Amino acid sequence: IGAIGDTDIKVESPTNGELMKLKATYNMSNCATIKRGPSSTTDYTNPVSFTGIADDGKTKKVYKVTVSRKSGS
């Protein structure tokens, strides 16, 4: 469950477990890259920023991911 804005991604953890050892999944163009890839185990206790680099290798955009615990946790 979440919301994606232009550069802000806010999601709710499906469980009330730890936010310190999460792995994200994502889809993007085969030629684009992400610095500090979100597929590695990441501590989401605080918002985390990832830099996406477009197919042209020059265009960059920083995305801020905020994960909260499941409501009622």
Side-chain angles (χ1 to χ4, degrees):
I1 300 171
I4 300 175
D6 185 42
T7 57
D8 290 321
I9 301 169
K10 296 180 182 184
V11 295
E12 183 179 272
S13 173
T15 67
N16 62 0
E18 292 292 326
L19 299 180
M20 295 172 25
K21 298 177 183 175
L22 299 178
K23 286 188 178 183
T25 58
Y26 57 93
N27 294 310
M28 62 185 205
S29 166
N30 290 335
C31 296
T33 59
I34 296 180
K35 285 190 176 182
R36 189 175 176 212
S39 61
S40 58
T41 301
T42 303
D43 180 352
Y44 287 96
T45 305
N46 295 301
V48 179
S49 294
F50 297 99
T51 301
I53 303 170
D55 298 356
D56 65 11
K58 297 176 185 177
T59 306
K60 297 178 182 181
K61 195 173 211 179
V62 177
Y63 296 89
K64 182 174 76 173
V65 180
T66 304
V67 180
S68 60
R69 286 191 170 82
K70 185 177 179 181
S71 296
S73 302

